[in-house]
């Protein structure tokens, strides 16, 4: 297992779906961990040994006040979603950290990809989703900072990373509620495209393995496992976990879903509608212990059990649910 001397690590974020397992892993490996966030979450409590700083990551004055000029060996930025935010970080942490890690997104890759498996050299072009274009612009800021001033940046691109709270289907918990009620669920396309799903605990192995590694500075790494089920499998496994033996899957073109449910359109057309399979050879060269240990056929049970134990999280968007009904009716009329 990759181990390093104890480092002082600042996580900006730290209690989210992607980051919380990485915080826990960094603590267990003996690092001195500080988390800066709004301090509002109770779903994913931080380990007792973590130092907490309270500030909204988008309030730059509040962040500066909370940090009070402190230095860290490593800064892991999970909450930057715009290039101007990244540029502010470059100015803030220049000379104050030995490694700045920006969490970008695999959604930034060309859609559809011209070749698979996708690697770090796959073009970054996504005309469908503003979120992805903002991540690309953030990467551009860092590339210039590395090239022009030697800023110690590492760029990380996760794919669909989940924990027990994040159901990966379009409707999330609503899909479980529909299946349990005997209603059909809408699956984009024909359900046979492959989608890489990575549990946050597996992501944490790769991510923490890059922290403090001098060979990672100035470079880019994608972090995702080899588990790439079809969407038909994902929905079927979720149904099994929910106690539904024969779910009715209604297949609808992604473009049609986007017209009926415009809020879901960018994430479908700009990401989920395409088969996304990745090659993480570059990551494993530095973190050989990284790999897939949790697959979704297992994790779906963990998710359903968590929602069953937290009825306040069982939210169904009425407008989205009505949209699913219209899509089902449209598909049946063809």
């Amino acid at each position: 297992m990759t181990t390093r001397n104890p480092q002082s690590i600042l996580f900006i974020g730290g209690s989210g779906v992607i980051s919380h397992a990485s915080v826990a892993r960094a603590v267990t490996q003996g690092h001195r961990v500080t988390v800066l966030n709004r301090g509002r979450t109770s779903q994913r409590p931080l380990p007792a040994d973590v130092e907490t700083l309270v500030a909204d990551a988008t309030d730059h004055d509040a962040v500066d006040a909370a940090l009070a000029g402190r230095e860290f060996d490593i800064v892991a930025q999970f909450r930057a979603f715009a290039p101007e935010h990244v540029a502010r970080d470059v100015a803030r942490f220049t000379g104050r950290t030995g490694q700045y890690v920006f969490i970008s997104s695999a959604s930034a890759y060309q859609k559809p990809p011209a070749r698979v498996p996708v690697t770090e050299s796959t073009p970054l072009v996504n005309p469908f989703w503003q979120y992805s274009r903002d991540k690309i612009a953030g990467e551009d800021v860092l590339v210039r900072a590395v090239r022009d001033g030697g800023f110690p940046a590492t760029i990380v691109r996760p794919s669909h990373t989940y924990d027990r709270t994040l159901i990966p289907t379009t409707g999330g918990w609503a899909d479980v509620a529909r299946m349990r009620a005997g209603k059909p669920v809408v699956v984009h396309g024909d359900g046979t495209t492959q989608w890489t799903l990575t549990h946050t605990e597996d992501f944490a192995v790769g991510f923490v393995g890059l922290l403090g590694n001098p060979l990672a500075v100035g470079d880019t790494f994608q972090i995702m496992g080899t588990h790439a089920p079809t969407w038909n499998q994902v929905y079927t496994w979720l149904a099994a976990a929910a106690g539904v033996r024969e779910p009715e899957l209604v297949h609808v073109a992604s473009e049609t879903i986007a017209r009926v449910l415009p809020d879901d359109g960018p994430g479908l057309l700009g990401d989920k509608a395409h088969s996304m399979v990745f090659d993480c050879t570059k990551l494993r060269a530095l973190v050989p212990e990284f790999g897939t240990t949790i697959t979704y056929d297992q994790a779906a049970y963990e998710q359903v059990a968590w929602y069953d134990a937290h009825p306040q999280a069982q939210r169904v968007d009425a407008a989205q649910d009505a949209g699913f009904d219209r899509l089902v009716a449209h598909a049946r009329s063809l």
Side-chain angles (χ1 to χ4, degrees), residues 36 53-55 60-70:
L36 183 150
L53 303 176
V54 178
H60 298 298
D61 291 338
V63 171
D64 287 337
L67 294 179
R70 291 174 58 179

Side-chain angles (χ1 to χ4, degrees), residues 304-325:
V304 172
W306 185 86
Y307 274 90
D308 283 343
H310 296 81
Q312 70 277 11
Q314 298 176 14
R315 291 183 289 271
V316 175
D317 184 310
Q320 185 192 52
D321 197 47
F324 286 147
D325 287 336

Side-chain angles (χ1 to χ4, degrees), residues 35 39-40 89 134 155 176 182 197 203 208 210 226 270 304 334:
V35 168
R40 296 179 182 176
D89 273 357
D134 288 341
I155 295 171
V176 176
L197 288 169
F203 171 85
V208 177
L210 292 176
T226 56
V304 172
L334 298 178

Side-chain angles (χ1 to χ4, degrees), residues 200-288:
T200 187
E201 291 182 12
D202 286 336
F203 171 85
V205 174
F207 184 77
V208 177
L210 292 176
L211 302 184
N213 188 328
L215 299 180
V217 175
D219 211 341
T220 301
F221 300 85
Q222 53 188 25
I223 302 179
M224 63 283 292
T226 56
H227 181 56
T230 68
W231 281 107
N232 286 338
Q233 289 175 312
V234 170
Y235 278 84
T236 300
W237 291 337
L238 181 61
V244 179
R245 288 188 176 184
E246 297 182 2
E248 183 180 356
L249 309 184
V250 175
H251 297 99
V252 179
S254 297
E255 292 82 1
T256 303
I257 297 173
R259 285 195 296 271
V260 174
L261 297 171
D263 288 345
D264 294 314
L268 278 178
L269 301 179
D271 211 14
K272 290 182 177 179
H274 311 282
S275 280
M276 297 300 293
V277 180
F278 303 87
D279 182 346
C280 286
T281 299
K282 187 176 179 182
L283 171 68
R284 285 194 294 272
L286 298 190
V287 191

Side-chain angles (χ1 to χ4, degrees), residues 104-290:
S104 183
S105 171
S107 70
Y109 287 123
Q110 178 186 53
K111 297 296 184 308
R115 292 184 296 168
V116 291
V118 171
T119 71
E120 286 83 355
S121 62
T122 297
L124 303 182
V125 183
N126 192 328
F128 303 101
W129 200 0
Q130 186 62 46
Y131 166 82
S132 305
R133 293 195 294 274
D134 288 341
K135 285 292 190 180
I136 294 169
E139 289 197 28
D140 289 342
V141 170
L142 288 177
V143 170
R144 287 192 297 269
V146 171
R147 182 183 297 122
D148 298 341
F151 186 69
T154 299
I155 295 171
V156 164
R157 297 181 190 133
S159 60
H160 194 145
T161 306
Y162 68 95
D163 68 354
R164 60 188 180 178
T165 72
L166 185 63
I167 294 173
T169 61
T170 302
W173 174 257
D175 286 324
V176 176
R178 291 179 68 89
M179 289 189 286
R180 281 180 166 173
K183 299 176 68 176
V185 290
V186 173
V187 182
H188 60 272
D190 65 0
T192 63
T193 53
Q194 289 182 271
W195 186 248
T196 298
L197 288 169
T198 307
H199 195 281
T200 187
E201 291 182 12
D202 286 336
F203 171 85
V205 174
F207 184 77
V208 177
L210 292 176
L211 302 184
N213 188 328
L215 299 180
V217 175
D219 211 341
T220 301
F221 300 85
Q222 53 188 25
I223 302 179
M224 63 283 292
T226 56
H227 181 56
T230 68
W231 281 107
N232 286 338
Q233 289 175 312
V234 170
Y235 278 84
T236 300
W237 291 337
L238 181 61
V244 179
R245 288 188 176 184
E246 297 182 2
E248 183 180 356
L249 309 184
V250 175
H251 297 99
V252 179
S254 297
E255 292 82 1
T256 303
I257 297 173
R259 285 195 296 271
V260 174
L261 297 171
D263 288 345
D264 294 314
L268 278 178
L269 301 179
D271 211 14
K272 290 182 177 179
H274 311 282
S275 280
M276 297 300 293
V277 180
F278 303 87
D279 182 346
C280 286
T281 299
K282 187 176 179 182
L283 171 68
R284 285 194 294 272
L286 298 190
V287 191
E289 65 269 28
F290 174 74

